[in-house]
Amino acid sequence: MKLITTGNNLCRIMVSDEYTELANILYELVERDQKYDKVVIVTDENVEVNLYDDFVKSIFSITNSKKFSKVCIKPGEESKCLETFNELISKFIDFGMSRKSLVIAFGGGVVGDLAGFAAATYMRGIDYIQVPTTILSQVDSAIGGKTGIDVGVYKNMIGAFKQPLFTYINTETLKTLPSDELKSGFGEIIKYAAIMDDDGEFEKFLYDNSVEVKCLDNEKIIKAIMKCAEFKARIVKADEKETGLRKILNFGHTFGHAMEMEYSLKHGEAVAIGMKIAFRVALAKGYIKKDYYDKFVELIDKYDFEFDFGKIDVERLVEIIKKDKKNSFGDISVILPDASSCVGIFKMSSDDIEAILKKEFNFM
Protein backbone atom coordinates (compact mmCIF):
# COMPACT_ATOMS: atom_id res chain seq x y z
CA MET A 1 0.00 0.00 0.00
CA LYS A 2 1.32 3.43 -0.95
CA LEU A 3 1.85 5.84 1.95
CA ILE A 4 -1.13 8.18 2.35
CA THR A 5 -0.49 11.58 3.91
CA THR A 6 -3.44 13.50 5.32
CA GLY A 7 -4.32 15.92 8.09
CA ASN A 8 -2.90 19.45 8.06
CA ASN A 9 0.06 21.51 9.25
CA LEU A 10 -1.03 21.07 12.89
CA CYS A 11 -1.98 17.38 12.76
CA ARG A 12 0.22 15.50 10.30
CA ILE A 13 -1.05 11.97 9.68
CA MET A 14 0.49 9.18 7.62
CA VAL A 15 -1.26 5.91 6.82
CA SER A 16 0.41 2.76 5.47
CA ASP A 17 0.49 -1.00 5.92
CA GLU A 18 4.21 -1.15 6.78
CA TYR A 19 6.93 0.84 8.55
CA THR A 20 9.28 1.46 5.62
CA GLU A 21 8.43 5.15 5.28
CA LEU A 22 8.65 5.68 9.04
CA ALA A 23 12.10 4.08 9.01
CA ASN A 24 13.16 6.48 6.24
CA ILE A 25 11.88 9.49 8.19
CA LEU A 26 13.68 8.41 11.36
CA TYR A 27 16.89 7.87 9.39
CA GLU A 28 16.66 11.44 8.12
CA LEU A 29 15.93 12.88 11.58
CA VAL A 30 18.38 10.82 13.64
CA GLU A 31 21.22 9.91 11.26
CA ARG A 32 21.31 12.27 8.30
CA ASP A 33 20.25 15.52 9.96
CA GLN A 34 21.48 14.64 13.49
CA LYS A 35 18.42 16.40 14.93
CA TYR A 36 18.08 14.02 17.88
CA ASP A 37 20.80 12.63 20.13
CA LYS A 38 18.72 9.82 21.66
CA VAL A 39 15.41 8.11 20.91
CA VAL A 40 13.28 6.26 23.46
CA ILE A 41 10.50 3.95 22.31
CA VAL A 42 7.72 3.62 24.88
CA THR A 43 5.54 0.54 24.46
CA ASP A 44 3.62 -2.01 26.53
CA GLU A 45 4.03 -5.72 27.17
CA ASN A 46 1.34 -6.79 24.70
CA VAL A 47 2.74 -4.72 21.85
CA GLU A 48 6.27 -5.85 22.73
CA VAL A 49 5.26 -9.49 22.22
CA ASN A 50 3.24 -9.03 19.03
CA LEU A 51 4.74 -6.13 17.12
CA TYR A 52 7.97 -4.72 18.57
CA ASP A 53 10.50 -6.95 16.79
CA ASP A 54 9.12 -6.22 13.32
CA PHE A 55 8.89 -2.53 14.16
CA VAL A 56 12.52 -2.10 15.22
CA LYS A 57 13.74 -4.43 12.47
CA SER A 58 12.40 -1.94 9.93
CA ILE A 59 13.98 1.01 11.70
CA PHE A 60 17.34 -0.53 12.55
CA SER A 61 17.82 -1.75 9.00
CA ILE A 62 18.91 1.79 8.11
CA THR A 63 19.36 3.64 11.43
CA ASN A 64 21.95 3.20 14.19
CA SER A 65 20.28 1.16 16.94
CA LYS A 66 22.73 2.47 19.56
CA LYS A 67 20.81 5.73 19.72
CA PHE A 68 17.59 3.92 20.66
CA SER A 69 16.34 2.70 24.04
CA LYS A 70 13.08 1.05 25.08
CA VAL A 71 10.70 1.40 28.02
CA CYS A 72 8.01 -1.24 28.38
CA ILE A 73 5.03 -0.63 30.67
CA LYS A 74 2.23 -2.91 31.78
CA PRO A 75 -0.81 -2.81 29.48
CA GLY A 76 -4.10 -1.32 30.59
CA GLU A 77 -5.58 1.89 31.98
CA GLU A 78 -3.99 1.21 35.38
CA SER A 79 -0.62 2.25 33.93
CA LYS A 80 -1.91 5.74 33.13
CA CYS A 81 -1.04 6.94 36.61
CA LEU A 82 1.45 9.07 38.53
CA GLU A 83 3.51 6.06 39.61
CA THR A 84 4.13 4.86 36.05
CA PHE A 85 4.71 8.44 34.91
CA ASN A 86 7.40 8.86 37.56
CA GLU A 87 9.01 5.61 36.52
CA LEU A 88 9.04 6.71 32.90
CA ILE A 89 10.61 10.07 33.66
CA SER A 90 13.23 8.29 35.80
CA LYS A 91 14.07 6.08 32.81
CA PHE A 92 14.49 9.18 30.63
CA ILE A 93 16.98 10.53 33.17
CA ASP A 94 18.82 7.18 33.36
CA PHE A 95 19.13 7.12 29.55
CA GLY A 96 20.66 10.59 29.59
CA MET A 97 17.90 12.11 27.49
CA SER A 98 18.24 15.81 26.73
CA ARG A 99 16.10 18.52 25.17
CA LYS A 100 17.36 17.18 21.84
CA SER A 101 15.95 13.69 22.44
CA LEU A 102 12.89 12.11 20.85
CA VAL A 103 10.11 9.91 22.25
CA ILE A 104 8.20 7.40 20.12
CA ALA A 105 4.86 6.26 21.56
CA PHE A 106 4.39 2.78 20.08
CA GLY A 107 1.14 1.30 21.30
CA GLY A 108 -2.49 2.04 22.06
CA GLY A 109 -4.18 4.93 23.80
CA VAL A 110 -2.62 4.38 27.22
CA VAL A 111 0.91 4.33 25.80
CA GLY A 112 0.20 7.38 23.66
CA ASP A 113 -1.33 9.42 26.48
CA LEU A 114 1.39 8.51 28.98
CA ALA A 115 4.39 8.83 26.66
CA GLY A 116 2.99 12.03 25.20
CA PHE A 117 2.58 13.55 28.66
CA ALA A 118 6.09 12.50 29.61
CA ALA A 119 7.40 14.17 26.45
CA ALA A 120 5.33 17.29 27.15
CA THR A 121 6.81 17.69 30.63
CA TYR A 122 10.35 16.25 30.52
CA MET A 123 12.75 19.21 30.62
CA ARG A 124 9.68 21.38 29.87
CA GLY A 125 8.96 19.55 26.66
CA ILE A 126 10.69 17.41 24.03
CA ASP A 127 9.49 16.11 20.67
CA TYR A 128 7.53 12.90 20.24
CA ILE A 129 5.92 10.78 17.53
CA GLN A 130 2.69 8.83 17.82
CA VAL A 131 2.73 5.32 16.29
CA PRO A 132 -0.70 3.97 17.32
CA THR A 133 -1.39 0.24 17.12
CA THR A 134 -5.11 0.03 17.98
CA ILE A 135 -8.20 1.27 16.15
CA LEU A 136 -9.11 3.52 19.05
CA SER A 137 -5.75 5.25 19.08
CA GLN A 138 -5.52 5.44 15.28
CA VAL A 139 -8.84 7.27 14.93
CA ASP A 140 -8.81 9.29 18.12
CA SER A 141 -6.27 9.46 20.95
CA ALA A 142 -3.07 9.61 18.84
CA ILE A 143 -4.36 12.62 16.89
CA GLY A 144 -4.70 16.10 18.28
CA GLY A 145 -2.07 16.48 20.99
CA LYS A 146 -4.05 15.60 24.12
CA THR A 147 -1.80 13.87 26.64
CA GLY A 148 -2.37 12.96 30.25
CA ILE A 149 -2.78 10.56 33.13
CA ASP A 150 -5.59 9.56 35.49
CA VAL A 151 -5.95 10.26 39.20
CA GLY A 152 -7.79 7.41 40.89
CA VAL A 153 -11.07 6.81 39.06
CA TYR A 154 -10.95 10.23 37.42
CA LYS A 155 -9.66 10.17 33.85
CA ASN A 156 -7.09 12.56 32.39
CA MET A 157 -7.12 14.94 35.37
CA ILE A 158 -3.43 15.78 34.83
CA GLY A 159 -2.26 16.49 31.31
CA ALA A 160 -1.09 18.88 28.64
CA PHE A 161 -1.74 19.79 25.04
CA LYS A 162 1.33 18.90 22.98
CA GLN A 163 1.17 18.02 19.31
CA PRO A 164 3.31 15.10 18.09
CA LEU A 165 5.62 15.70 15.16
CA PHE A 166 3.25 13.41 13.29
CA THR A 167 1.06 10.36 13.72
CA TYR A 168 2.06 7.25 11.76
CA ILE A 169 -0.72 4.67 11.32
CA ASN A 170 0.07 1.12 10.18
CA THR A 171 -3.25 -0.66 9.58
CA GLU A 172 -1.59 -4.09 9.62
CA THR A 173 -1.19 -3.84 13.40
CA LEU A 174 -4.96 -4.25 13.80
CA LYS A 175 -4.69 -7.92 12.81
CA THR A 176 -2.91 -8.65 16.09
CA LEU A 177 -5.65 -7.21 18.30
CA PRO A 178 -7.96 -9.35 20.44
CA SER A 179 -11.69 -9.06 19.79
CA ASP A 180 -12.37 -6.81 22.79
CA GLU A 181 -9.79 -4.27 21.60
CA LEU A 182 -11.27 -4.26 18.11
CA LYS A 183 -14.73 -3.77 19.55
CA SER A 184 -13.47 -0.89 21.67
CA GLY A 185 -12.15 0.82 18.55
CA PHE A 186 -15.45 0.41 16.75
CA GLY A 187 -17.09 2.39 19.56
CA GLU A 188 -14.91 5.41 18.79
CA ILE A 189 -15.49 5.04 15.04
CA ILE A 190 -19.27 5.08 15.55
CA LYS A 191 -18.91 8.29 17.55
CA TYR A 192 -17.77 10.10 14.43
CA ALA A 193 -20.95 9.10 12.60
CA ALA A 194 -22.96 11.10 15.14
CA ILE A 195 -20.85 14.27 15.02
CA MET A 196 -19.66 14.50 11.41
CA ASP A 197 -22.55 16.66 10.09
CA ASP A 198 -22.39 14.93 6.69
CA ASP A 199 -26.11 14.21 6.18
CA GLY A 200 -25.66 10.72 7.58
CA GLU A 201 -23.19 9.54 4.91
CA PHE A 202 -20.68 7.99 7.33
CA GLU A 203 -23.48 6.57 9.48
CA LYS A 204 -24.88 4.81 6.40
CA PHE A 205 -21.43 3.51 5.44
CA LEU A 206 -20.91 1.98 8.89
CA TYR A 207 -24.40 0.48 8.89
CA ASP A 208 -24.19 -0.99 5.37
CA ASN A 209 -20.64 -2.32 5.87
CA SER A 210 -20.75 -3.43 9.51
CA VAL A 211 -19.75 -7.02 8.72
CA GLU A 212 -16.82 -5.96 6.56
CA VAL A 213 -15.62 -3.35 9.04
CA LYS A 214 -15.78 -5.81 11.95
CA CYS A 215 -13.84 -8.37 9.88
CA LEU A 216 -11.18 -5.72 9.06
CA ASP A 217 -11.81 -5.78 5.33
CA ASN A 218 -8.81 -3.80 4.11
CA GLU A 219 -10.65 -1.31 1.91
CA LYS A 220 -13.48 -0.69 4.38
CA ILE A 221 -11.39 -0.34 7.54
CA ILE A 222 -8.90 2.00 5.85
CA LYS A 223 -11.80 4.15 4.62
CA ALA A 224 -13.28 4.28 8.14
CA ILE A 225 -9.93 5.17 9.75
CA MET A 226 -9.19 7.83 7.14
CA LYS A 227 -12.61 9.47 7.51
CA CYS A 228 -12.25 9.67 11.29
CA ALA A 229 -8.62 10.83 11.25
CA GLU A 230 -9.26 13.53 8.65
CA PHE A 231 -12.31 14.83 10.48
CA LYS A 232 -10.51 14.97 13.83
CA ALA A 233 -7.52 16.77 12.28
CA ARG A 234 -9.87 19.37 10.82
CA ILE A 235 -11.62 19.93 14.16
CA VAL A 236 -8.33 20.17 16.08
CA LYS A 237 -6.93 22.73 13.65
CA ALA A 238 -10.03 24.88 14.20
CA ASP A 239 -9.91 24.56 18.01
CA GLU A 240 -6.65 23.07 19.27
CA LYS A 241 -7.13 23.80 22.99
CA GLU A 242 -10.78 22.69 23.16
CA THR A 243 -12.37 26.05 23.92
CA GLY A 244 -15.41 25.37 21.75
CA LEU A 245 -15.82 23.23 18.64
CA ARG A 246 -13.38 20.49 19.68
CA LYS A 247 -15.66 19.61 22.58
CA ILE A 248 -17.94 17.73 20.18
CA LEU A 249 -15.24 15.04 19.98
CA ASN A 250 -16.19 14.20 23.57
CA PHE A 251 -19.60 12.91 22.49
CA GLY A 252 -20.38 9.81 24.54
CA HIS A 253 -17.52 10.54 26.92
CA THR A 254 -19.28 12.37 29.76
CA PHE A 255 -21.35 9.30 30.54
CA GLY A 256 -18.78 6.93 29.03
CA HIS A 257 -15.86 7.95 31.26
CA ALA A 258 -18.01 7.39 34.34
CA MET A 259 -19.09 3.99 33.05
CA GLU A 260 -15.53 3.06 32.14
CA MET A 261 -14.19 3.79 35.60
CA GLU A 262 -17.07 2.39 37.62
CA TYR A 263 -17.59 -0.84 35.64
CA SER A 264 -14.07 -1.51 34.26
CA LEU A 265 -15.16 -1.29 30.64
CA LYS A 266 -12.88 -0.82 27.66
CA HIS A 267 -12.79 2.84 26.66
CA GLY A 268 -14.53 2.46 23.30
CA GLU A 269 -17.14 0.15 24.77
CA ALA A 270 -17.87 2.74 27.45
CA VAL A 271 -18.13 5.46 24.80
CA ALA A 272 -20.65 3.38 22.83
CA ILE A 273 -22.77 2.86 25.95
CA GLY A 274 -22.31 6.53 26.82
CA MET A 275 -23.69 7.42 23.39
CA LYS A 276 -26.76 5.28 24.05
CA ILE A 277 -27.33 7.20 27.27
CA ALA A 278 -26.74 10.55 25.53
CA PHE A 279 -29.24 9.66 22.80
CA ARG A 280 -31.82 8.69 25.41
CA VAL A 281 -31.28 11.94 27.32
CA ALA A 282 -31.58 13.93 24.08
CA LEU A 283 -34.81 12.12 23.25
CA ALA A 284 -36.20 12.86 26.71
CA LYS A 285 -35.28 16.54 26.34
CA GLY A 286 -36.94 16.71 22.91
CA TYR A 287 -33.74 17.48 21.01
CA ILE A 288 -34.14 14.58 18.56
CA LYS A 289 -36.98 12.54 17.08
CA LYS A 290 -37.70 8.93 17.95
CA ASP A 291 -36.89 7.63 14.46
CA TYR A 292 -33.34 9.07 14.60
CA TYR A 293 -32.89 7.67 18.10
CA ASP A 294 -33.97 4.20 16.96
CA LYS A 295 -31.80 4.35 13.86
CA PHE A 296 -28.60 5.30 15.67
CA VAL A 297 -29.08 2.88 18.55
CA GLU A 298 -29.56 0.17 15.93
CA LEU A 299 -26.19 1.14 14.41
CA ILE A 300 -24.52 0.85 17.82
CA ASP A 301 -26.13 -2.56 18.33
CA LYS A 302 -24.84 -3.79 14.95
CA TYR A 303 -21.36 -3.54 16.47
CA ASP A 304 -22.42 -5.69 19.46
CA PHE A 305 -22.56 -3.11 22.24
CA GLU A 306 -24.99 -4.27 24.88
CA PHE A 307 -25.24 -3.39 28.56
CA ASP A 308 -27.62 -4.11 31.43
CA PHE A 309 -28.56 -0.57 32.41
CA GLY A 310 -30.64 -1.88 35.30
CA LYS A 311 -27.53 -2.67 37.32
CA ILE A 312 -26.24 0.91 37.36
CA ASP A 313 -26.11 2.89 40.59
CA VAL A 314 -27.25 6.18 39.08
CA GLU A 315 -26.32 8.30 42.12
CA ARG A 316 -22.76 6.96 42.04
CA LEU A 317 -22.62 7.54 38.27
CA VAL A 318 -23.71 11.15 38.66
CA GLU A 319 -21.14 11.73 41.41
CA ILE A 320 -18.37 10.63 39.02
CA ILE A 321 -19.81 12.75 36.20
CA LYS A 322 -19.75 15.81 38.50
CA LYS A 323 -15.95 15.46 38.70
CA ASP A 324 -15.54 15.59 34.91
CA LYS A 325 -12.84 18.10 33.97
CA LYS A 326 -15.06 19.67 31.29
CA ASN A 327 -17.56 20.97 33.85
CA SER A 328 -17.58 24.54 35.12
CA PHE A 329 -19.52 26.84 37.45
CA GLY A 330 -21.40 23.91 38.96
CA ASP A 331 -22.94 22.80 35.67
CA ILE A 332 -22.23 19.58 33.82
CA SER A 333 -21.22 20.01 30.19
CA VAL A 334 -22.86 17.31 28.07
CA ILE A 335 -22.56 16.67 24.34
CA LEU A 336 -25.94 15.54 23.04
CA PRO A 337 -27.38 14.87 19.58
CA ASP A 338 -29.65 17.71 18.50
CA ALA A 339 -30.26 16.70 14.88
CA SER A 340 -29.32 13.92 12.49
CA SER A 341 -25.51 13.57 12.33
CA CYS A 342 -25.12 16.67 14.45
CA VAL A 343 -24.47 17.33 18.15
CA GLY A 344 -24.56 20.30 20.46
CA ILE A 345 -22.98 21.33 23.79
CA PHE A 346 -25.48 21.60 26.63
CA LYS A 347 -25.25 22.63 30.26
CA MET A 348 -27.25 20.47 32.67
CA SER A 349 -27.51 20.27 36.43
CA SER A 350 -26.65 17.02 38.19
CA ASP A 351 -30.21 16.86 39.53
CA ASP A 352 -31.63 17.09 36.01
CA ILE A 353 -29.33 14.33 34.74
CA GLU A 354 -30.14 12.10 37.70
CA ALA A 355 -33.89 12.56 37.25
CA ILE A 356 -33.76 11.78 33.53
CA LEU A 357 -31.58 8.71 33.99
CA LYS A 358 -33.82 7.29 36.69
CA LYS A 359 -36.92 7.85 34.60
CA GLU A 360 -35.63 6.76 31.19
CA PHE A 361 -33.66 3.67 32.22
CA ASN A 362 -35.60 2.67 35.34
CA PHE A 363 -32.46 2.81 37.44
CA MET A 364 -32.86 1.61 41.00
Side-chain angles (χ1 to χ4, degrees), residues 76-82 109-110 113-114 148-150 155-156:
E77 190 73 21
E78 296 79 10
S79 287
K80 230 175 84 172
C81 63
L82 279 168
V110 170
D113 286 356
L114 177 65
I149 55 177
D150 305 333
K155 287 181 64 64
N156 303 315

Side-chain angles (χ1 to χ4, degrees), residues 249-290:
L249 295 169
N250 294 314
F251 178 56
H253 287 63
T254 298
F255 301 112
H257 277 168
M259 297 288 292
E260 180 180 358
M261 287 307 204
E262 185 68 5
Y263 298 99
S264 300
L265 303 176
K266 289 284 186 181
H267 178 73
E269 180 183 9
V271 168
I273 294 166
M275 286 190 288
K276 281 189 175 184
I277 298 175
F279 264 86
R280 194 60 178 262
V281 172
L283 182 64
K285 299 285 284 186
Y287 299 152
I288 58 174
K289 296 180 179 180
K290 183 66 161 54

